[in-house]
């Protein structure tokens, strides 16, 4: 009889190994063998828990998305925030350490590229885009008129994604991520000051 919690532990081991494999070899060269070797588990367990490599890749992307949600909750839960502070918290969550680690950045970059070719990943990308936009729009609607709020949410989402991407591709990503975080925060402050 399997131990209680063993399934969740093994699944997390495989997700962590997938992140590490993508960081080392890229998504295209990540295989069931590279993942199972890094996880220290048999390759058959991947099929058992995830149905194969693609199922594990999907689960890994969902893990990154859930980490993004957790980061946002850490910045907002049980706190009384102004709408501007909530916008800043959204930015901080998108630039949290979990989202800018080497393993996460390489996986996100591979995921974005592959989502153009795989329906399941495209769906996850659409969910991620909608969630960011919806979170931003919710706060902007309390500060700006309806049309301005839509424009501001789209601009801010583009600013976050663009700055994150440029930072991830930089030869000095840690320095660039810190600057990008500051730039995105300034963007919101300037936008709101201009709109006041």
């Amino acid at each position: 009889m399997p131990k209680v919690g063993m399934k969740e532990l093994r699944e997390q081991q495989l997700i962590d190994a997938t992140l590490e494999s993508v960081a080392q070899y890229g998504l295209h060269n990540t295989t069931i063998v590279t993942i199972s070797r890094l996880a220290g588990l048999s390759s058959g367990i991947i099929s058992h828990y995830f149905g194969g490599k693609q199922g594990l890749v999907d689960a890994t992307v969902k893990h990154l998305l859930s980490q993004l949600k957790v980061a946002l909750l850490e910045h907002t839960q049980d706190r009384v925030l102004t709408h501007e502070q909530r916008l800043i918290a959204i930015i901080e969550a998108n630039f949290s350490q979990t989202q800018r680690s080497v393993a996460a950045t390489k996986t996100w970059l591979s995921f974005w590229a592959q989502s153009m070719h795989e329906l399941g990943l495209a769906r996850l990308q659409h969910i991620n885009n909608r969630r960011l936009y919806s979170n931003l729009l919710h706060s902007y609607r309390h500060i700006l008129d309806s049309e301005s709020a839509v424009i501001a949410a789209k601009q801010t989402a583009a600013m976050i994604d663009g700055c994150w991407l440029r930072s991830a591709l930089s030869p000095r990503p840690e320095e660039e991520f810190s600057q990008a975080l500051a730039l995105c925060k300034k963007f919101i402050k300037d936008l709101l000051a201009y709109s006041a």
Side-chain angles (χ1 to χ4, degrees):
M1 179 177 226
K3 293 180 184 175
V4 175
M6 189 56 71
K7 178 180 187 289
E8 292 78 11
L9 176 67
R10 293 288 184 246
E11 287 176 347
Q12 191 58 53
Q13 282 179 286
L14 291 166
I15 287 169
D16 292 342
T18 302
L19 287 165
E20 189 176 338
S21 181
V22 172
Q24 286 185 33
Y25 308 112
L27 183 59
H28 183 69
N29 293 320
T30 287
T31 64
I32 287 176
V33 172
T34 63
I35 295 167
S36 60
R37 184 170 35 83
L38 288 167
L41 299 169
S42 72
S43 57
I45 204 162
I46 294 173
S47 294
H48 175 70
Y49 286 134
F50 298 100
K53 176 188 166 185
Q54 192 55 51
L56 180 51
V57 169
D58 290 351
T60 302
V61 172
K62 287 176 185 174
H63 170 74
L64 289 175
L65 290 170
S66 74
Q67 290 300 305
L68 188 54
K69 183 178 179 180
V70 166
L72 181 57
L73 288 173
E74 286 173 356
H75 284 88
T76 59
Q77 202 168 29
D78 301 326
R79 296 182 185 171
V80 178
L81 300 175
T82 66
H83 295 292
E84 181 178 344
Q85 289 170 329
R86 189 172 182 282
L87 288 165
I88 297 298
I90 293 168
I91 288 174
E92 288 173 344
N94 278 272
F95 287 95
S96 66
Q97 280 303 127
T98 56
Q99 296 302 316
R100 61 195 215 186
S101 69
V102 171
T105 57
K106 289 188 177 184
T107 302
W108 274 120
L109 293 171
S110 296
F111 160 64
W112 283 341
Q114 198 61 30
S115 69
M116 293 184 285
H117 308 287
E118 292 185 20
L119 198 57
L121 292 180
R123 184 183 62 78
L124 290 174
Q125 177 60 23
H126 178 71
I127 290 168
N128 186 39
N129 286 345
R130 292 299 304 169
R131 184 181 294 162
L132 175 59
Y133 172 72
S134 177
N135 280 329
L136 292 166
L137 184 60
H138 173 77
S139 290
Y140 276 127
R141 279 195 166 141
H142 292 279
I143 304 169
L144 305 171
D145 65 77
S146 185
E147 184 180 345
S148 297
V150 168
I151 293 169
K154 288 180 179 180
Q155 288 175 325
T156 307
M159 183 85 173
I160 291 169
D161 287 345
C163 286
W164 190 95
L165 180 61
R166 290 175 66 94
S167 300
L169 294 172
S170 165
R172 295 181 312 278
E174 198 53 43
E175 179 183 326
E176 290 293 328
F177 274 123
S178 295
Q179 290 176 8
L181 175 60
L183 282 172
C184 288
K185 287 180 179 181
K186 184 177 185 312
F187 175 79
I188 285 180
K189 289 182 183 299
D190 290 351
L191 188 150
L192 295 179
Y194 179 78
S195 301

